[in-house]
């Protein structure tokens, strides 16, 4: 899952990211993006994430 938040970052740092095995968290300086822009970006990025396939699909020859 990808999450995008707005926060105040240090001058000269427009965005930072943190990733784990299950998530990607992006923080964007609130001087660079609106609240609606952050929501829209999060939705678009999550729409691009491929759906995980179950191991059973590989065993059964499914796609």
């Amino acid at each position: 899952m990808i999450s995008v938040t707005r926060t105040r970052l240090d001058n000269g740092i427009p965005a930072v990211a943190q990733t784990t095995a299950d998530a990607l968290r992006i923080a964007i300086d609130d001087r660079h993006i609106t609240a609606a822009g952050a929501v829209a970006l999060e939705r678009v990025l999550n729409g691009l994430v491929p759906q995980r396939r179950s191991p059973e699909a590989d065993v059964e020859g499914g796609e």
Side-chain angles (χ1 to χ4, degrees), residues 37-61:
V39 170
L41 180 59
E42 182 175 295
R43 288 180 181 169
V44 167
L45 292 174
N46 279 302
L48 296 174
V49 176
Q51 299 299 317
R52 291 188 178 178
R53 292 175 25 171
S54 67
E56 294 82 24
D58 291 334
V59 172
E60 296 170 9

